[in-house]
Amino acid sequence: MGTDRRALAARGRSMHQGPSEPADVTVPTLVLAGADDPLAGGPGALADALPRASPRPLHGDPPTAVRDPSFAPATADFLESAD
């Protein structure tokens, strides 16, 4: 099929060499979380660990937060303002 198995294997090994530290994530990151999620505790803790994070709490829990009316505008605003 024209694929180089050794190259594919090397690429796979180089991509996942263990967990990353949150402080190593240097790209702008939008952290969305439902305010009613008893496990996540809101987006603040994760956002505090990421150097360029923008936390945005939403109404609801994980399955319903994507239906929060502010979900789409928050995402669009973030993408338009990202460096």
Side-chain angles (χ1 to χ4, degrees):
M1 295 197 136
T3 58
D4 183 340
R5 288 184 176 173
R6 288 186 179 158
L8 289 172
R11 173 91 169 120
R13 282 191 302 274
S14 70
M15 290 176 56
H16 303 288
Q17 295 188 3
S20 298
E21 293 297 320
D24 294 338
V25 178
T26 59
V27 296
T29 306
L30 177 62
V31 180
L32 298 169
D36 299 330
D37 185 346
L39 300 176
L46 178 57
D48 289 345
L50 299 168
R52 298 182 65 196
S54 299
R56 182 67 186 255
L58 300 171
H59 296 288
D61 55 17
T64 62
V66 296
R67 292 191 296 258
D68 181 316
S70 66
F71 178 86
T75 304
D77 291 346
F78 174 78
L79 292 173
E80 289 174 356
S81 68
D83 305 341

